[in-house]
Amino acid sequence: MNVIQADDVKKYFSHAGYGDEKVKAVDNVSLTVEDGEVVVICGPSGSGKSTFLRCINRIEDHIDHGDILFCDKSIYEIKRTELRKEIGMVFQSYNLFHHLTILDNVILGLVHVLKMNRKEAIDEAMVLLERVGVHDKAKNYPRELSGGQQQRVAICRSLAMKPKLILFDEPTSALDPEMIKEVLDVMRQLAQSGMTMIIVTHEIGFAKEVADRIIFFSDGKIIEQGTPLEIINSPKEKRTENFFRHVI
Ligand code: ADP
Ligand code: MG
C-alpha cells in the first residue's frame, strides 16, 4: 500500500513586489511512499523540500495543482486533526512547549487528542522516553535539556500519537556535532522498527545507511531518484553530482 501518493503537485507563492510573478516552490512533484519505506529528500536550500513536507500534513493547506493521497484518500478529504494524528512531524527547531515539563510535552497529545486518561498516558510516555534515552529528564523543562535531548523528546512526542508516517525536516541541522549522532541513532532505530519516514537531511552517511530511496530536489522539481548507491555514487544528473560533491 502507498502511504503517500503525490500526483503532479504544484505549490506557488506570491513574490512580494514582483507583480504576478510566482515562486514555484514545488513544481510537478509526483512521488509515492510505500508502507514501511524510508525516503530521504536532499537538495539545495530553497529547492522546495520543506514546502513539500508542509503540503503533506497540510501546514500548507492549499496546493495550486495536483493531489496528495494518504493511504489512498485525498488529504483534503481528511479532517486536519485526523491527518495530524496519522502524520507526525519533527522540525529542525524541536518546537517543544517551554512552559511544560518533558513528560507533559509528550502526554499532551495523548490526553487531549487521543483522549487517554492521564495515568495511562504517563505510562506510555515513560516507555517512549526510555526508548529514546531521556526518561530521567521527565520532570525537567525543555530549557534544562541539551538540543539533542530536546529533539529526542520531540521525536518521542510524535511517536506517542502512533502515526502511520513521520516527516522530518532537517532534524539535526540545528544541533552541535556531538549531538547529531544521538538523534540519528533514534531515527535509525525507528526506521528499523518499520516506521514509514520521509526525511529531509544533509546527513549523507545516515541516508546511505537508512534510506530505501533518495529523492533529489532542485528548483521545486524532482531531478532524480533512486537507491542511495545510485544517487550518491553514480548520479545521472550534473546537478545531483555537484550537490553531493559539496555536501560529502
Ligand atoms: P527548502 O526547504 O528546500 O530550503 P523551501 O520549501 O523552504 O525550500 O522554499 C522553496 C521556495 O519557496 C523558496 O524560494 C522559498 O523562498 C519559497 N517560500 C517558501 N515558503 C514561502 C512563503 N511562505 N512565502 C513565500 N515564499 C516561500
Ligand atoms: Mg527547508
Side-chain angles (χ1 to χ4, degrees):
M1 185 188 56
N2 287 330
V3 173
I4 288 294
Q5 179 180 338
D7 290 321
D8 203 8
V9 174
K10 302 183 188 188
K11 171 71 187 176
Y12 299 163
F13 291 110
S14 303
H15 213 325
Y18 285 78
D20 288 340
E21 200 188 320
K22 302 266 189 180
V23 178
K24 295 180 175 177
V26 176
D27 201 13
N28 299 98
V29 168
S30 295
L31 170 70
T32 55
V33 178
E34 282 175 30
D35 195 18
E37 217 183 350
V38 177
V39 170
V40 163
I41 299 180
C42 294
S45 175
S47 59
K49 307 180 299 296
S50 296
T51 304
F52 181 61
L53 290 191
R54 291 158 59 87
C55 289
I56 292 177
N57 74 348
R58 291 180 60 191
I59 296 178
E60 296 292 352
D61 201 24
H62 167 82
I63 56 177
D64 292 85
H65 186 269
D67 199 1
I68 301 174
L69 309 186
F70 172 72
C71 298
D72 298 333
K73 191 169 180 188
S74 170
I75 58 170
Y76 304 101
E77 288 165 15
I78 303 170
K79 275 196 193 153
R80 264 157 63 122
T81 46
E82 285 300 315
L83 196 70
R84 297 285 163 79
K85 275 190 230 168
E86 303 279 357
I87 304 180
M89 184 148 179
V90 175
F91 301 87
Q92 182 175 329
S93 54
Y94 347 122
N95 293 9
L96 297 176
F97 291 109
H98 288 277
H99 61 291
L100 296 179
T101 64
I102 295 308
L103 184 61
D104 282 335
N105 264 281
V106 178
I107 68 168
L108 196 66
L110 292 177
V111 172
H112 292 282
V113 183
L114 300 186
K115 309 291 179 200
M116 206 179 260
N117 78 49
R118 199 178 151 81
K119 166 82 177 64
E120 262 181 303
I122 290 174
D123 289 347
E124 274 208 31
M126 287 309 292
V127 171
L128 288 173
L129 285 168
E130 185 153 7
R131 205 167 130 189
V132 302
V134 277
H135 52 294
D136 56 333
K137 302 286 182 192
K139 295 213 166 88
N140 289 86
Y141 286 86
R143 65 172 176 278
E144 297 167 326
L145 274 64
S146 72
Q149 289 170 330
Q150 288 188 56
Q151 190 60 300
R152 285 184 279 152
V153 173
I155 293 173
C156 212
R157 182 180 55 175
S158 224
L159 269 179
M161 304 299 287
K162 302 192 179 66
K164 187 111 190 66
L165 164 70
I166 305 185
L167 311 172
F168 294 83
D169 194 357
E170 302 200 27
T172 59
S173 300
L175 300 176
D176 293 332
E178 70 271 21
M179 290 167 195
I180 292 176
K181 184 178 175 297
E182 64 193 42
V183 171
L184 293 180
D185 283 346
V186 167
M187 291 171 62
R188 188 179 293 113
Q189 261 180 44
L190 207 53
Q192 282 160 359
S193 78
M195 177 61 78
T196 312
M197 301 157 82
I198 306 180
I199 308 167
V200 174
T201 184
H202 299 305
E203 293 293 333
I204 302 307
F206 170 79
K208 256 188 175 165
E209 190 189 334
V210 173
D212 294 307
R213 194 148 46 100
I214 296 185
I215 316 270
F216 182 73
F217 267 56
S218 182
D219 296 325
K221 295 181 195 299
I222 294 179
I223 300 296
E224 185 163 7
Q225 57 176 304
T227 63
L229 220 58
E230 286 164 347
I231 298 299
I232 299 169
N233 294 21
S234 45
K236 292 191 184 69
E237 299 287 333
K238 198 82 203 152
R239 270 182 284 185
T240 318
E241 191 186 333
N242 283 339
F243 177 82
F244 286 110
R245 192 180 303 140
H246 287 107
V247 294
I248 290 172

